[in-house]
Amino acid sequence: MDEAYMQVVMSIIMHAGNSKGLAHQALDAAKQGDFDAASDYMKQANDALADAHNVQTDLLTKEAQGEHTEVNLYMVHAQDHLMNAITYKDLVGEFIELYQTK
C-alpha cells in the first residue's frame, strides 16, 4: 500500500470526521436556541462532507477510467466514517428542526 493511497483514505476520514464534529456543534447550538450558529455549523458540516465526497468521486472516476482502486480494511473504514457522518448530519438536521418548533 503506497502513501498516496493512505492519503486518500485519511482524507476521507478527516473530512467525514470534521463534518460529524461540526454537525454535533450545530446540535449543541440548537439546544441552546442559537439557530443562526446551528445553521452556520451545518453549512460547514455540508462543506466538509462535500470535500469527502469529492475525494470519493475522484476514486469513482478513476475506477470508471479503468484505474482500479484497492479495497481493503482501511478503505472500508474510511467509507464507514463517511456514511456515518452523512447519517449523523442528516439526523442532526431533523433534530434542529424539532428544536425550532419548541
Side-chain angles (χ1 to χ4, degrees):
M1 182 168 355
D2 64 6
E3 185 177 329
Y5 181 85
M6 287 307 294
Q7 286 179 341
V8 167
V9 166
M10 294 308 295
S11 181
I12 293 170
I13 292 170
M14 178 191 68
H15 292 305
N18 288 344
S19 176
K20 189 174 177 187
L22 288 160
H24 192 76
Q25 287 179 281
L27 182 58
D28 286 342
K31 286 180 186 179
Q32 300 300 317
D34 189 350
F35 298 110
D36 288 336
S39 178
D40 288 342
Y41 283 126
M42 287 299 280
K43 181 187 178 321
Q44 292 175 54
N46 283 326
D47 290 346
L49 270 183
D51 291 339
H53 181 72
N54 288 339
V55 173
Q56 185 183 51
T57 299
D58 287 343
L59 290 174
L60 292 169
T61 299
K62 288 177 182 176
E63 188 77 28
Q65 294 170 343
E67 185 179 327
H68 180 66
T69 300
E70 178 184 1
V71 177
N72 57 29
L73 191 55
Y74 293 114
M75 184 59 73
V76 170
H77 183 66
Q79 295 298 317
D80 184 50
H81 270 277
L82 179 56
M83 294 307 300
N84 279 312
I86 292 167
T87 301
Y88 188 76
K89 185 197 68 68
D90 289 347
L91 285 172
V92 166
E94 295 296 320
F95 281 121
I96 290 170
E97 284 185 31
L98 288 172
Y99 280 117
Q100 284 177 315
T101 61
K102 283 173 86 176

